[in-house]
Amino acid sequence: MRTRIAFKPVEILVVEDSKGDIGLIEEGFEDAKIGNILHIVEDGEEAIAFFTW
């Protein structure tokens, strides 16, 4: 018998400027049933701003 362990979702910051690549990343997470929270920004400036607000 398998025991399911509940994990708290991990928040992941994705820095990617290609809409197509973002779609592939999101699709991969959905297909793999990975319940982590994705925050998506397009460049380094947005990534820094993400951590400072």
Side-chain angles (χ1 to χ4, degrees):
M1 183 166 114
R2 288 186 147 179
T3 303
R4 289 198 87 159
I5 300 172
F7 291 99
K8 181 178 177 184
V10 173
E11 294 193 38
I12 299 171
L13 176 62
V14 177
V15 183
E16 178 57 63
D17 63 351
S18 168
K19 301 282 187 211
D21 288 347
I22 292 168
L24 289 172
I25 292 166
E26 291 174 327
E27 184 178 325
F29 272 72
E30 288 174 17
D31 289 350
K33 296 181 179 26
I34 298 173
N36 294 328
I37 300 164
L38 294 178
H39 301 279
I40 300 171
V41 298
E42 293 187 1
D43 58 38
E45 285 183 30
E46 288 183 24
I48 292 168
F50 176 86
F51 288 111
T52 58
W53 55 283

